[in-house]
Amino acid sequence: MELVPDSALLNRTVMVVWHGGTTPEVLQPLVKRLRERVGEKGRVMLENADRLESIPHEESSVEVVLTGFLPPPSLTHSPPLLGELARLLKPSGLLFLREPITTTTTASVEGVRSVKKLTSALKLSGFVDVSEVEASEYSGLLAGLQANGVTAGQDTISVAFVSAKKPSYEVGASSTLSFANRLPQPTNKVSSETANVWSLDPADDNLDMLDSDTLLEEEDLVKPDPDSLRSQCGPNSGRKRACKDCTCGLREELGNENPVTQTRTATSSCGSCYLGDAFRCASCPYLGMPAFKPGEQIRLSSRQLKADQ
């Protein structure tokens, strides 16, 4: 607590954050000393870290936050706790924090982070000007950590004292950039030079108008011969066929026509084809067709006249 300058506390609203391991015998002397340092116009508040997020404090209502100062300093500040402290602080408010840190980069201590990770957590929570003021040993630290379930050796743990600051603006605030006034302002007005470029005045003698007749050549004005537009495909052997260089689409039209059904007289080898499938042989061309009267002419396509392969 002595590392916090008096100028940071005088006439300020100060919040002291404590945790479950702190006893009332420790709280009372601390509050008394702080009230002497903040002066008559200052104010001292006490809040439990475990219940801070559930208490509806007004946003930007605190000027200074002291957390982790009450012995034993075994409080590890989680990201939600740091975010809540940033919300409660006024713009340019100060945060003074003490937290156990690991002093080695090789040993892994569960529940304790390095000062580098602590600094990163503060910056991610919105704080600026984060700096480590001091890292010192504390004789009662090991017992406090063990009470919170942290297992570590005394030689790998120390206490870091870190100061930080909330930015001078609120979350969601907007500000005009310094170079914004030097940018050209958009306008809907059209300059006179631009307007003259797009103006068309038929009465202006100096205005050169393009004659549309000059865009056509002499051959464009010649009408085409009607015979050249007709199809060169003509009658051939009683039906229309496409010529060699057909361009009228007749070749494609003829290619899509259905195949012509051929008719042939089928000769029965058993003489029972007209009775139906029950009396027909396996190679009968009428297989699958209904029965018909004897002597009735039946037309079969070329496909039906071919035996199955």
Side-chain angles (χ1 to χ4, degrees), residues 233-251:
C233 304
N236 188 359
S237 301
R239 63 190 303 268
K240 196 173 185 180
R241 294 182 180 275
C243 61
K244 181 179 180 181
D245 300 327
C246 179
T247 58
C248 64
L250 181 60
R251 183 183 299 276

Side-chain angles (χ1 to χ4, degrees), residues 108-112 142 145-154 156-157:
S108 177
V109 181
E110 184 180 358
V112 180
L142 185 59
L145 290 174
Q146 292 176 349
N148 287 300
V150 178
T151 303
Q154 186 69 49
T156 61
I157 298 295

Side-chain angles (χ1 to χ4, degrees), residues 16 37 127 147 156 184 189 197 227 255 259 272 282 291 299:
V16 180
R37 297 181 64 180
F127 291 97
T156 61
K189 295 182 180 179
V197 171
D227 294 335
S272 303
R299 294 180 181 272

